[in-house]
Amino acid sequence: MGKQSSNLATQLIEGLCSFLRRCICAILSAGSLPRHVAFIMDGNRRYAKKQGLLEGDGHRVGFTALMNMLKYCYEMNVKYVTVYAFSIENFKRRPDEVQSTMQLIQEKIESLLEKESIVNQYGVRVHFIGNLKLLSKPVRLAAERAMNATAHNSRAMLAICIAYTSTDEITNSVEETCKEKMNELGGNAADSKEPLIDVADVEKHMYMAVAPDPDIIIRSSGETRLSNFLLWQSASSLLYTPRALWPEIRFYHLVRAILDFQRNLASLETKLKQC
Amino acid sequence: MVSLQFRICFIPSHLKLQLPVPRRSLDLKLPPRALSSAIKAATVNGHPGEDAGFLRGTAVPAGLRRESMPRHVAVIMDGNRRWARMRGLPVGSGYEAGVRALRRMVELCCKWGIRVLTVFAFSSDNWFRPKVEVDVLMALFDRGLREELQYLVSADVRISIIGDSTKLFNSLQALLANAMETTSKNSKLHLIVAVNYSGRSDVVQACQKLAVKVKDGVIEPEDINELVVERELGTNCTDFPHPDLLIRTSGELRVSNFLLWQLAHTELYFTNSLWPDFGEDEFLLALSSFQERQRRYGC
């Protein structure tokens, strides 16, 4: 009986929170909403240390925070969400830490394929962005399965940057662009005129060509740097750096970021009018 | 009110806080493309403190740690027009005040042992401003450089220009080339001025150069790695192409297409101060904030 009433109370509170979120979303929709929000999920290890947890448990709580943030974004009709899950530079961490993080990533990728997961609930197409050849075979196969299983979804998109750095992405794009231009010039390249390359040529070979540039990049834990994330795509992005560690991130942080976005948009429009 | 994230920390000189130096072990399982970049970052530009020899003999301001001074500072000098509008002055006065602030910045960098200062003087997106304003700005570059060249020479400052200078009028192009030539042997401070520059265009022109090299058989596409790309960027004029600290004034919280590749691990500092008002106190605040940061480079 006690357990039943506790469940009922939890359901009522969740229902009330959901209703309040929908009201806030409706208010925010009076202004422009971002099309694409990107997250640098920083602070999981510091959170674990702060709470006296094992290091890996910080990432687990961080995953719950990620699922919540995805839910809030999709409720707000933010169509594209990108997250920085694992950098190529993170391979420099202790081997046991890398191994346990990869195991967690594989476990969570597989959970995305479950029927009641957020990707099915909101019709989300999942892309894994990065140098996937660097991943171990089980993780890479899980990622490919998830991409195939969600390929038909079209309401929203989730880009998970894994084994990713922006400089690696740009380098790959430069290499592919050079190869493409050589093919266009034909066999006798020595006599051909010089290849002409523009922004569009480079951009179309980016791993992140599947999404428009992010409107907002949110980095948790108060650090104010990009850490080799979406350097090309961040040219005009608003940067928001709340002090909360990633597992502490909440709906109001997203609301605050969107309010800043709307204020900045208004001030950018004013500047353009003054030009 | 734009939200800002920056920390103020005046460390009294009698307190010596020791920031942990991040562990920099290199995992040999990294792909050649990324490993080359990691090695370069670790040994050349990653840790300003590891090679504090460049700071010997310089006067580091009280409250700051010599070993944690940034080697390369970049600045987006924003807010000149707003500064002028707030005072009921013409826009040109705002730009002139901005030049004075830049001069102050150069003097402080020389005094405090900062090796490279990169400033965003004119973005390729700025051509969309009213022609009258652009003409004022170009005339100011011309006059400013003529008036300050002697100072740069005497202060041992080397000047380099990055960006597409072919769109500038001929006499300004000649003046810039002459200034670069005249100061090329100077070594106390390297002042890099980005004119008609955009981070994306910088990557595209690097790609263009590499495509020509591939066409000429100098390099295979498969040999293109991060070091190869970096060598073709505009910042190849310096051994320290990655800013440790980027300062943007006037409260805008974005990098606006400035030095995109090079900002991979740069600490970003945003302040509400308008650029003409950015002086020694504001610079000290930025440096203090920088020295509080924990730089992990992915570890």
Side-chain angles (χ1 to χ4, degrees):
Chain A
M1 184 69 182
K3 198 175 174 186
Q4 270 181 333
S5 59
S6 164
N7 283 343
L8 185 61
T10 307
Q11 281 175 6
L12 279 172
I13 291 170
E14 277 173 12
L16 182 61
C17 288
S18 175
F19 173 71
L20 283 172
R21 280 202 310 272
R22 281 200 300 277
C23 291
I24 293 172
C25 290
I27 295 168
L28 288 176
S29 306
S32 298
L33 291 175
R35 247 183 340 168
H36 182 176
V37 178
F39 294 97
I40 301 176
M41 304 185 289
D42 196 16
N44 293 314
R45 294 184 297 174
R46 271 170 283 166
Y47 178 83
K49 201 170 171 184
K50 187 171 146 185
Q51 303 292 329
L53 304 172
L54 294 172
E55 196 174 65
D57 291 341
H59 293 297
R60 287 187 183 277
V61 183
F63 180 78
T64 308
L66 170 59
M67 290 299 110
N68 289 335
M69 291 310 281
L70 289 179
K71 182 170 70 178
Y72 304 149
C73 285
Y74 298 135
E75 282 175 355
M76 201 93 69
N77 286 326
V78 173
K79 190 166 178 191
Y80 301 91
V81 178
T82 301
V83 299
Y84 201 7
F86 195 87
S87 164
I88 292 175
E89 283 150 358
N90 295 154
F91 281 115
K92 294 182 292 192
R93 293 179 178 178
R94 290 188 335 264
D96 60 300
E97 186 185 336
V98 172
Q99 167 110 2
S100 72
T101 306
M102 283 292 147
Q103 269 169 353
L104 177 68
I105 287 175
Q106 185 186 340
E107 181 191 313
K108 295 308 176 188
I109 292 174
E110 282 159 4
S111 74
L112 287 179
L113 298 174
E114 286 160 14
K115 208 169 154 190
E116 61 279 0
S117 83
I118 196 168
V119 299
N120 290 323
Q121 195 182 346
Y122 289 99
V124 181
R125 182 170 183 181
V126 180
H127 289 277
F128 285 89
I129 304 283
N131 196 340
L132 303 186
K133 295 194 289 284
L134 299 178
L135 298 172
S136 64
K137 195 168 169 184
V139 179
R140 195 173 66 249
L141 289 178
E144 283 166 11
R145 271 196 307 273
M147 286 195 279
N148 289 335
T150 60
H152 59 279
N153 291 346
S154 58
R155 276 170 51 199
M157 199 206 82
L158 171 62
I160 301 175
C161 292
I162 181 168
Y164 173 91
T165 60
S166 191
T167 45
D168 182 77
E169 180 188 24
I170 294 171
T171 303
N172 177 71
S173 173
V174 165
E175 184 185 330
E176 293 301 316
T177 305
C178 288
K179 281 179 185 166
E180 184 191 34
K181 290 295 168 182
M182 287 304 102
N183 289 338
E184 279 174 16
L185 289 174
N188 209 0
D191 295 337
S192 315
K193 55 185 182 175
E194 278 191 3
L196 283 175
I197 291 171
D198 63 20
V199 168
D201 290 321
V202 173
E203 198 148 67
K204 74 177 185 227
H205 290 295
M206 294 279 176
Y207 300 142
M208 280 297 296
V210 294
D213 293 339
D215 298 295
I216 309 174
I217 297 180
I218 298 177
R219 182 181 186 137
S220 56
S221 90
E223 305 286 11
T224 315
R225 53 181 180 254
L226 289 170
S227 293
N228 216 336
F229 180 58
L230 301 185
L231 299 174
W232 173 278
Q233 296 82 356
S234 67
S236 304
S237 307
L238 174 72
L239 304 174
Y240 177 63
T241 53
R243 283 180 187 264
L245 303 173
W246 179 253
E248 296 167 343
I249 200 131
R250 299 287 180 266
F251 177 64
Y252 66 83
H253 294 111
L254 181 63
V255 170
R256 182 75 194 269
I258 292 175
L259 285 172
D260 280 352
F261 168 75
Q262 290 177 341
R263 261 195 297 265
N264 262 265
L265 208 54
S267 110
L268 268 173
E269 279 162 6
T270 312
K271 268 191 186 175
L272 282 169
K273 282 186 194 142
Q274 283 166 352
C275 270
Chain B
M1 183 71 186
V2 174
S3 104
L4 292 174
Q5 291 294 333
F6 67 98
R7 297 174 210 170
I8 302 171
C9 180
F10 280 112
I11 306 168
S13 54
H14 63 278
L15 291 177
K16 304 282 179 205
L17 293 180
Q18 296 296 324
L19 279 183
V21 175
R23 184 165 51 84
R24 298 300 309 282
S25 57
L26 292 169
D27 182 353
L28 293 176
K29 293 194 187 85
L30 286 176
R33 211 159 67 185
L35 181 59
S36 57
S37 172
I39 290 170
K40 189 171 165 73
T43 56
V44 174
N45 206 37
H47 278 284
E50 283 174 357
D51 177 24
F54 68 91
L55 287 171
R56 285 195 202 100
T58 60
V60 174
L64 295 182
R65 296 185 308 281
R66 177 183 292 269
E67 68 275 9
S68 305
M69 288 292 280
R71 199 193 317 247
H72 180 167
V73 174
V75 185
I76 301 177
M77 305 183 292
D78 201 7
N80 299 304
R81 297 186 296 167
R82 209 178 318 167
W83 184 93
R85 269 198 299 275
M86 280 167 61
R87 285 156 180 75
L89 296 171
V91 160
S93 302
Y95 289 134
E96 282 171 15
V99 169
R100 290 193 291 275
L102 175 56
R103 168 74 185 254
R104 282 197 300 271
M105 188 75 170
V106 167
E107 286 168 0
L108 289 171
C109 287
C110 286
K111 193 164 122 187
W112 295 342
I114 288 160
R115 295 299 301 278
V116 185
L117 172 65
T118 302
V119 296
F120 204 6
F122 192 83
S123 163
S124 18
D125 299 331
N126 292 153
W127 291 110
F128 296 106
R129 292 186 178 174
K131 188 177 181 308
V132 166
E133 196 178 308
V134 172
D135 289 345
V136 161
L137 202 42
M138 291 299 152
L140 195 56
F141 282 146
D142 191 283
R143 194 173 83 231
L145 198 46
R146 284 182 207 282
E147 286 171 1
E148 298 295 339
L149 186 56
Q150 197 44 50
Y151 161 71
L152 292 176
V153 168
S154 62
D156 198 17
V157 175
R158 178 186 166 195
I159 186 166
S160 293
I161 307 295
I162 60 172
D164 181 9
S165 55
T166 58
K167 264 191 163 183
L168 307 175
F169 55 85
N170 288 339
S171 61
L172 181 54
Q173 285 187 52
L175 180 62
L176 292 172
N178 175 54
M180 286 195 282
E181 170 69 34
T182 307
T183 60
S184 62
K185 299 280 186 292
N186 294 351
S187 58
K188 191 175 178 74
L189 171 72
H190 192 170
L191 172 63
I192 301 175
V193 184
V195 182
N196 193 26
Y197 179 89
S198 96
R200 286 187 182 178
S201 301
D202 199 4
V203 170
V204 169
Q205 68 81 29
C207 187
Q208 172 80 45
K209 283 195 240 168
L210 286 171
V212 171
K213 286 187 178 178
V214 169
K215 171 186 143 2
D216 294 340
V218 174
I219 189 173
E220 294 296 319
E222 294 73 30
D223 295 332
I224 295 174
N225 63 30
E226 292 184 30
L227 283 177
V228 165
V229 172
E230 190 155 283
R231 273 201 294 265
E232 304 295 341
L233 295 173
T235 42
N236 60 8
C237 56
T238 171
D239 285 336
F240 316 119
H242 297 256
D244 299 296
L245 172 65
L246 169 77
I247 297 169
R248 182 175 188 150
T249 51
S250 93
E252 284 283 334
L253 301 176
R254 59 188 90 234
V255 299
S256 295
N257 212 351
F258 181 48
L259 290 182
L260 300 177
W261 171 287
Q262 297 86 339
L263 293 185
H265 292 289
T266 303
E267 296 293 331
L268 310 175
Y269 177 83
F270 300 104
T271 173
N272 268 345
S273 292
L274 303 176
W275 176 245
D277 294 327
F278 192 87
E280 184 166 341
D281 290 345
E282 288 79 10
F283 194 19
L284 276 171
L285 280 175
L287 292 171
S288 297
S289 169
F290 171 77
Q291 294 204 340
E292 264 207 307
R293 311 279 178 103
Q294 305 266 340
R295 306 183 80 187
R296 286 184 290 274
Y297 299 91
C299 291

